[in-house]
Amino acid sequence: MTAPRRVAVVGAGLAAVSTCDALRAQGYDGELVVYSGERGLPYDRPPLSKDVLLGKARRDDVLLRPEQWYDEQRVDLRDGAPVRAVRPYEGGIELGDGSVAVADRVVLATGGTPRALPVPGGDDPAVHLLRTWEDAERLRERLLPGARVAVLGAGLIGAETAAVACALGCRVTLVDPVPVPLAAVVGDDIARALHLQHTAEGIEVITAGVERVERRSAEILVHLAGYDGVVAADTVVAGIGIRPATELAEDAGVRVDNGIVVQAGQRTSHPNVLAVGDVARRDGHRVRHEHWEAAQRDGQAAALGILGRPEPDAGAPWFWSDRHGSRLEAVGTMADAERTVRRGAPDGGALTVFGLCGDRVVAAAAVDRARDVKVARRLVDRRVVVDAERLADESVDLRVLLRSGGAT
Ligand SMILES: Cc1cc2nc3c(=O)[nH]c(=O)nc-3n(C[C@H](O)[C@H](O)[C@H](O)COP(=O)(O)OP(=O)(O)OC[C@H]3O[C@@H](n4cnc5c(N)ncnc54)[C@H](O)[C@@H]3O)c2cc1C
């Protein structure tokens, strides 16, 4: 297969930049143009709900690459240049001004947009969402000591935002209809321990759905469903997930089903179009892996796909999340587990939970136990048969289990 002469990347988040990085690392010498819907140099998103909200990081601190990298790598970054359409059969893309840019391959790295609350008033601009640098700046200004902050949704972004607001001295109420959020992702024990942490830190946790949001001059009233009372807040933040930005793919006739469906090498249903990052879903996987490492790996896989080279096995997905000074890490897909095995103390102490299918570990999650997750990752990737009792036994070094389950 001959390498394409011109690759156009749509979007300039982590998946886009990783694609460019990997293409150059693989020796690709052709043209690389990145079209960004945002202004300025591409930045990393995880710090937005952590150090940026805390006021500890500026834009320069969170750039994905320094400015000179784009020159050095001959990556032509066009910022403030949203792509209007992808025309794979005509060999290119259409920009907002109607001009057409020719490309042999188009990589869709368009990420996702936060979902608005699907209730009356849910799309009021007073309800903050958190995805971009501007979102984080706008929200940071509101997180003043004593401010009443209602966070709707206690998933990863909601929980991080609530924890930051709490650390900044806000009076925080965290609302979620699910009593133990994230249980499907990290298992019941870890999810419960994490959720209890909010209460221990002084956050008011309410299990209820949201019925409507009402703006009343300076304050916002959150009316809850099946709950006696209304939450009055100065600032409301919704963290209820994202919708993958699949419009360009749909218009171009590329297969979309809960994300742009991709095969090995991030190839879509069109031979000249690839998709990476939060917008893509691997065929055969139930969920999109909307995490930092997955976006980076997708970029590497896309580079190999563009160059017609085989991609190595990506291994199990992994992510982290920080809240209240603790770090959650999870690997694999807990929803695939038939049963769980605990290692450590469930009541607020250090704990690792393994998800097993038969005698094999398919997932693990832990709080402040990075070493356990590192070994678990190898257990999952190598499909090692393990002895569940030894897995649970704190006196057994987990690394021993890597050798055929550590049979004695
Ligand atoms: C606040 C926050 C905190 C996070 N924390 C963690 C964490 O702790 N751990 C973890 O593992 N993951 C975390 N993540 C997830 C991780 O950051 C994402 O998975 C990753 O950024 C996805 O990268 P992406 O390139 O696919 O998408 P994005 O970063 O969303 O980039 C997509 C880009 O495409 C642009 N675009 C869209 N349409 C067009 C168009 N038509 N033309 C041109 N450009 C377009 C968008 O403007 C955007 O800039 C966090 C995410 C957020 C938002």
Side-chain angles (χ1 to χ4, degrees):
M1 181 195 259
T2 49
R5 280 185 307 153
R6 190 174 295 128
V7 175
V9 183
V10 186
L14 176 65
V17 170
S18 300
T19 304
C20 298
D21 208 356
L23 272 170
R24 291 299 186 222
Q26 288 288 328
Y28 173 65
D29 199 33
E31 275 181 54
L32 255 176
V33 188
V34 176
Y35 297 92
S36 174
E38 296 187 66
R39 294 234 170 248
L41 292 172
Y43 56 89
D44 213 7
R45 294 195 198 277
L48 298 182
S49 51
K50 306 173 183 72
D51 279 358
V52 174
L53 275 191
L54 281 166
K56 290 183 182 171
R58 292 161 302 136
R59 176 92 178 221
D60 279 357
D61 300 322
V62 301
L63 295 179
L64 285 169
R65 298 288 185 281
E67 191 166 6
Q68 68 271 23
W69 179 86
Y70 297 89
D71 282 342
E72 285 163 10
Q73 298 298 319
R74 292 185 297 117
V75 173
D76 182 356
L77 174 67
R78 314 259 176 102
D79 69 329
V83 169
R84 190 157 74 187
V86 175
R87 309 230 174 275
Y89 293 100
E90 294 147 39
I93 57 168
E94 189 182 315
L95 295 170
D97 62 6
S99 60
V100 172
V102 175
D104 310 304
R105 297 285 185 284
V106 176
V107 181
L108 293 172
T110 46
T113 43
R115 286 181 197 277
L117 281 170
V119 298
D123 57 357
D124 190 305
V127 178
H128 289 252
L129 304 170
L130 184 52
R131 182 77 188 177
T132 65
W133 173 264
E134 289 75 18
D135 292 341
E137 269 200 323
R138 207 163 69 89
L139 180 56
R140 189 182 58 206
E141 286 165 13
R142 309 277 311 168
L143 301 183
L144 302 171
R148 297 167 302 167
V149 177
V151 180
L152 312 179
L156 295 169
I157 304 282
E160 287 193 355
T161 305
V164 166
C166 179
L168 290 170
C170 303
R171 288 181 283 153
V172 184
T173 306
L174 181 59
V175 179
D176 197 292
V178 178
V180 187
L182 289 178
V185 184
V186 297
D188 200 64
D189 289 306
I190 298 266
R192 202 174 287 279
L194 286 170
H195 206 46
L196 284 172
Q197 237 184 348
H198 293 307
T199 316
E201 295 291 333
I203 292 175
E204 186 188 4
V205 174
I206 298 176
T207 302
V210 175
E211 205 166 64
R212 69 190 162 95
V213 176
E214 183 189 356
R215 192 165 4 161
R216 275 229 192 127
S217 58
E219 80 173 0
I220 304 157
L221 303 180
V222 180
H223 298 264
L224 302 176
Y227 181 87
D228 190 16
V230 169
V231 177
D234 303 305
T235 295
V236 174
V237 190
I240 59 164
I242 63 163
R243 194 180 50 73
T246 54
E247 296 84 354
L248 295 177
E250 281 168 59
D251 289 351
V254 172
R255 188 175 159 224
V256 170
D257 177 8
N258 183 25
I260 305 173
V261 181
V262 295
Q263 313 288 337
Q266 304 300 127
R267 294 182 189 90
T268 69
S269 59
H270 190 285
N272 295 343
V273 180
L274 299 93
V276 288
D278 283 6
V279 77
R281 180 177 66 80
R282 274 280 161 137
D283 203 7
H285 289 208
R286 270 175 296 163
V287 293
R288 283 173 290 108
H289 297 295
E290 298 164 5
H291 301 302
W292 189 92
E293 190 187 72
Q296 196 187 41
R297 286 186 168 187
D298 279 4
Q300 291 158 357
L304 295 168
I306 288 168
L307 299 172
R309 296 176 192 157
E311 66 170 38
D313 186 0
W318 169 89
F319 73 86
W320 88 98
S321 177
D322 296 333
R323 57 178 79 183
H324 304 302
S326 297
R327 171 157 293 192
L328 163 71
E329 283 184 70
V331 66
T333 310
M334 200 59 91
D336 290 345
E338 292 163 352
R339 63 193 168 116
T340 54
V341 169
R342 282 200 305 236
R343 183 180 173 92
D347 306 324
L351 173 71
T352 305
V353 170
F354 297 91
L356 274 79
C357 239
D359 292 334
R360 291 192 165 87
V361 178
V362 293
V367 178
D368 293 331
R369 306 244 282 197
R371 263 196 295 179
D372 280 9
V373 177
K374 200 170 162 193
V375 180
R377 190 169 194 173
R378 285 192 271 165
L379 289 170
V380 177
D381 286 346
R382 295 184 198 169
R383 297 179 45 74
V384 178
V385 171
V386 292
D387 175 342
E389 268 180 43
R390 289 168 66 73
L391 202 55
D393 184 346
E394 288 258 57
S395 69
V396 175
D397 185 336
L398 275 181
R399 287 170 301 180
V400 173
L401 302 184
L402 282 166
R403 299 191 283 275
S404 305
T408 45

